[in-house]
Amino acid sequence: MSILEIKLPIHETFQSTVQGEGYWSGTLVDFIRLSGCPVGCPWCDTGYADGGKNLPRVERPIDELLGELKSPRVVISGGEPFIQKHLPELVQALLDAGKKVHIETSGSFWQEVSPEAWITLSPKQHINPKYPVQPQFWSRSNEVKIVIETGREIELYKEHLSAHPDLYVYLQPEWNRWSKSLSLILQMLQEKPDYKLSLQTHKYIGVQ
Ligand code: SF4
């Protein structure tokens, strides 16, 4: 079977939007959302808080996914992309097609993907200790994005963050408690001036 015939379970795809969060915020991107995530964050904005049994899951071949792309950059998101055994092939096929590839992950499941892929680690171990960050992600990731709800989230990760000073660290308000979270982040930035605020800009401008 050719790499282009491999199928992956797709939650949804959309094209010609902007990356709303983190380092590449404001950049034109296409999204491929892979289906499924077991982590169960209560505020999951993709619908996987309760496992997502009724959410979309359509098996689609890689060549069909490539055919609908419009932007130079593609964000593979979820769900949790790293639970999909064919994630490495999808990444490679996108790179072979001349795309820049970004992957967003909770870091709970590890597998090797091309070193050319940009990895955004958004750890959820503080929410569900059953899904700790796999240690490889701390050195492999390019940026860390932590959703702030209580202000205590970074405690669990501070040794890893100190050990990897080149990581870009973004603190992002939990959307449903935006005002409280934002003021917590402004306090946290005073202690950690190298960290940055990440806003979900796509929600402010009304795009996916
Ligand atoms: S890890 Fe991400 S996709 Fe999974 S439940 Fe949490 S927010 Fe949703």
Side-chain angles (χ1 to χ4, degrees):
M1 180 192 282
S2 111
I3 188 172
L4 298 178
E5 294 172 277
I6 291 172
K7 293 183 177 178
L8 290 99
I10 302 299
H11 177 107
E12 64 180 339
T13 65
F14 41 96
Q15 296 80 36
S16 301
T17 186
V18 291
Q19 169 59 285
E21 307 173 357
Y23 184 90
W24 293 99
S25 181
T27 305
L28 183 74
V29 291
D30 293 346
F31 264 81
I32 298 174
R33 285 197 185 283
L34 298 176
S35 184
C37 178
V39 179
C41 306
W43 36 256
C44 178
D45 58 8
T46 322
Y48 288 101
D50 62 356
K53 287 199 183 73
N54 299 317
L55 293 180
R57 184 182 180 90
V58 179
E59 296 285 336
R60 295 183 62 193
I62 289 176
D63 63 345
E64 193 178 294
L65 299 170
L66 292 181
E68 64 185 16
L69 296 175
K70 292 195 165 52
S71 305
R73 292 182 182 276
V74 180
V75 180
I76 304 172
S77 180
E80 170 46 68
F82 277 85
I83 63 174
Q84 303 301 338
K85 68 176 179 178
H86 292 308
L87 175 66
E89 290 95 329
L90 175 60
V91 170
Q92 195 55 54
L94 290 166
L95 291 168
D96 291 347
K99 303 295 181 180
K100 303 285 188 194
V101 179
H102 301 202
I103 312 173
E104 300 185 345
T105 179
S106 64
S108 308
F109 302 85
W110 170 255
Q111 52 182 322
E112 290 280 353
V113 294
S114 168
E116 291 180 52
W118 176 277
I119 294 186
T120 302
L121 171 63
S122 186
K124 304 297 187 323
Q125 186 174 344
H126 59 284
I127 295 172
N128 189 343
K130 276 170 44 187
Y131 294 98
V133 176
Q134 299 304 301
Q136 298 94 326
F137 277 105
W138 291 110
S139 49
R140 173 62 185 85
S141 298
N142 301 91
E143 64 176 328
V144 177
K145 182 182 65 189
I146 303 176
V147 178
I148 299 299
E149 193 177 5
T150 66
R152 296 187 296 276
E153 289 83 356
I154 62 173
E155 279 297 305
L156 194 55
Y157 312 116
K158 64 183 181 187
E159 286 178 19
H160 295 292
L161 295 172
S162 300
H164 297 90
D166 293 339
L167 268 175
Y168 299 104
V169 181
Y170 290 89
L171 305 179
Q172 183 166 291
E174 202 282 291
W175 182 254
N176 300 310
R177 301 177 193 211
W178 190 89
S179 176
K180 179 174 174 245
S181 299
L182 179 62
S183 69
L184 286 169
I185 290 171
L186 293 175
Q187 290 171 29
M188 295 163 83
L189 292 180
Q190 291 179 41
E191 291 173 30
K192 297 284 186 186
D194 291 338
Y195 295 0
K196 291 184 178 172
L197 170 68
S198 170
L199 297 175
Q200 293 179 292
T201 48
H202 54 295
K203 293 187 178 177
Y204 293 91
I205 62 175
V207 298
Q208 276 182 299

